[in-house]
Amino acid sequence: MKLKAIFAVFMFMAAANVFAGVPALEGCEVVSVKTGKDSAKDIARLHGKEIEFQSSYVAEYKCGGEQAVIWASFSKTKDEAEELFKQMDDKMPSSKVFRNLMRMKTDGLDVAYVTGMGMDNYYFLDGKGNYWLAATGKDTVLLLKKLTKTLR
């Protein structure tokens, strides 16, 4: 009986920690995470080509009745991350999918905002990481702030 109890506690702890590598967004539940080749393939599809980075993840969240997705890639160096950001950012003004480009500061980070795909989209650079947050709902800026707060 004692062994069953220990196993049950272990399984509960393992299940609770499945998505430990992605940011916890207050009020949101992580519903899926892709890493490795799966996330790299999703990120390449979004860029329309394969891009080079060291690691990545794609995390889907349920936030009440709304949803959010974070695509994140991490480069070997800050310079490489900056170059990836510049490539993406330079394409935005001519994008047929993403519109209404605006710039803002959040938690000391320079953030770009665009609308598209039925979502509010925010993308930014933090050190060696490139982040893209796509979210639905009335207060998507609050989700952005929850994300940037976890990175500080």
Side-chain angles (χ1 to χ4, degrees), residues 55-94:
S55 63
S56 62
Y57 67 80
V58 177
E60 295 183 31
Y61 298 81
K62 184 176 180 185
C63 308
E66 307 299 341
Q67 64 180 359
V69 181
I70 299 172
W71 288 270
S73 66
F74 304 93
S75 299
K76 291 179 185 176
T77 67
K78 286 183 179 181
D79 287 343
E80 288 177 4
E82 287 173 4
E83 180 57 34
L84 286 177
F85 181 88
K86 184 178 178 340
Q87 288 175 21
M88 181 172 53
D89 195 49
D90 286 350
K91 291 180 180 180
M92 283 303 140
S94 62

Side-chain angles (χ1 to χ4, degrees), residues 47 77 130 137 142:
H47 284 261
T77 67
N130 274 288
L142 180 61

Side-chain angles (χ1 to χ4, degrees), residues 5-23:
I6 290 171
F7 181 74
V9 168
F10 173 77
M11 291 306 292
F12 172 77
M13 290 174 67
N17 205 23
V18 168
F19 303 126
V22 300

